[in-house]
Amino acid sequence: MDKKKKRFYVRTVILAILVAAIAFTVYTTATKDTVPLLKVGAEAPDFSLVDLDGETHRLSDYKGKGVLLNFWGTWCKPCKKEMPAINSQYNAFKDQGIAVLSINQAQTVFEVENFTDSFNLDFPVVIDKTKSVTRTYNVNKLPASVFIDPEGKVVRVYEGEMTEKMLAEFFSSIKPK
């Protein structure tokens, strides 16, 4: 086989591989369903993240309490709007067995501290630096909130901004009996 024919076959094979890869990417993107955060009734996956004071928080440490996992970013306008409501309702419910774990989306400590200081938040704020928890919980839109009962089961998933009234209702549904 001469050089030209060999080069032609190699180029044809490479081109075929590229076309197949592009077709596969287009197909998987077009047929991808949006994955829900987590199914209600599912066991909430355990994780471990560090807060702004260097303290480690594991979801399993909160067993026996109702827990709100609130995923957010400093750039997210609805996140900013709901933070005071979360803080207010946390303070109203914390003595009733409710915990809030606020999970920032991989931003710098400086950005997160400026944000939390401006709201004077009373609950732990952790940074998901690698977004591993965000991926585990299939969070795609912010803000996203996952409400977990004292047994560790997901009872509600909410995407979007929450009001104080909604939070009061949601916290009431997960507080220990």
Side-chain angles (χ1 to χ4, degrees):
M1 189 183 308
D2 67 350
K3 259 184 173 175
K4 283 186 178 183
K5 278 188 177 183
K6 195 176 204 178
R7 193 174 13 200
F8 172 77
Y9 288 123
V10 169
R11 287 179 178 169
T12 303
V13 168
I14 291 171
L15 181 62
I17 291 170
L18 286 172
V19 168
I22 291 169
F24 176 77
T25 302
V26 168
Y27 173 77
T28 55
T29 302
T31 60
K32 184 176 104 174
D33 291 330
T34 53
V35 179
L37 277 108
L38 218 60
K39 293 215 184 303
V40 170
E43 185 79 25
D46 198 16
F47 61 86
S48 175
L49 291 172
V50 178
D51 70 17
L52 298 174
D53 298 322
E55 186 180 330
T56 299
H57 294 266
R58 285 176 189 75
L59 181 59
S60 55
D61 293 343
Y62 293 92
K63 202 92 163 179
K65 291 186 172 210
V67 180
L68 162 60
L69 301 180
N70 179 251
F71 295 85
W72 62 278
T74 61
W75 45 265
C76 165
K77 285 186 181 8
C79 300
K80 289 178 188 175
K81 286 178 69 181
E82 78 176 359
M83 260 323 150
I86 293 172
N87 200 53
S88 171
Q89 289 304 305
Y90 166 72
N91 284 317
F93 280 88
K94 68 181 176 184
D95 294 333
Q96 299 175 48
I98 294 294
V100 171
L101 200 51
S102 182
I103 303 172
N104 174 267
Q105 297 278 298
Q107 293 184 267
T108 67
V109 171
F110 179 76
E111 290 173 301
V112 175
E113 280 180 342
N114 282 340
F115 181 89
T116 59
D117 289 349
S118 71
F119 290 104
N120 199 22
L121 301 176
D122 298 315
F123 46 79
V125 176
V126 296
I127 301 174
D128 186 9
K129 292 180 180 178
T130 62
K131 293 189 177 182
S132 61
V133 176
T134 303
R135 282 192 301 276
T136 299
Y137 280 79
N138 297 321
V139 173
N140 295 311
K141 297 176 188 165
L142 297 180
S145 298
V146 178
F147 293 85
I148 302 166
D149 71 13
E151 288 76 47
K153 300 272 190 236
V154 174
V155 296
R156 175 170 284 142
V157 174
Y158 191 85
E159 288 182 311
E161 181 186 337
M162 295 180 292
T163 64
E164 287 215 32
K165 183 179 178 189
M166 293 166 71
L167 281 157
E169 177 190 324
F170 297 165
F171 281 161
S172 291
S173 74
I174 63 169
K175 70 181 183 180
K177 305 285 186 249

